[in-house]
């Protein structure tokens, strides 16, 4: 069963597909350039000792995002 959530809710080791972005235009452009494009698979790779930021694998790269930024990315698990 598929579940829609935001990227910040993904636990380390989980995978999901990007479904959309809720960010303002300037941040939206930055996230798209980093590879958080609808349809792309993303996985949570590693969490910092304090829980923020979190490293995500997307498009062959590992990107560290603050949870506040990850909260702007909609994903679907399933």
């Amino acid at each position: 069963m598929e579940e829609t959530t935001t990227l910040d809710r993904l636990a380390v080791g989980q995978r999901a597909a990007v479904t959309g972005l809720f960010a303002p235009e300037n941040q939206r452009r930055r996230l798209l350039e980093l590879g958080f494009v609808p349809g792309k698979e993303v996985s949570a790779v590693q969490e910092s000792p304090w829980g923020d930021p979190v490293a995500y694998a997307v498009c062959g790269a590992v990107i560290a995002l603050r949870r506040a930024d990850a909260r702007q990315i909609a994903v679907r698990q399933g």
Side-chain angles (χ1 to χ4, degrees):
M1 184 168 178
E2 294 182 349
E3 178 184 341
T4 301
T5 187
T6 55
L7 187 58
D8 66 305
R9 310 273 321 238
L10 216 60
V12 172
Q14 288 184 317
R15 294 177 178 214
V18 175
T19 59
L21 303 173
F22 303 120
E25 186 57 36
N26 61 337
Q27 291 176 334
R28 178 181 166 81
R29 189 175 320 120
R30 177 179 156 264
L31 292 170
L32 289 168
E33 289 171 352
L34 289 172
F36 296 97
V37 177
K40 292 292 183 179
E41 184 178 280
V42 61
S43 61
V45 177
Q46 185 177 4
E47 188 175 75
S48 72
W50 294 278
D52 201 15
V54 177
Y56 299 97
V58 62
C59 294
V62 176
I63 308 293
L65 288 181
R66 293 176 296 172
R67 287 194 182 273
D69 294 330
R71 199 170 295 121
Q72 299 174 339
I73 302 171
V75 296
R76 182 181 57 243
Q77 293 178 271

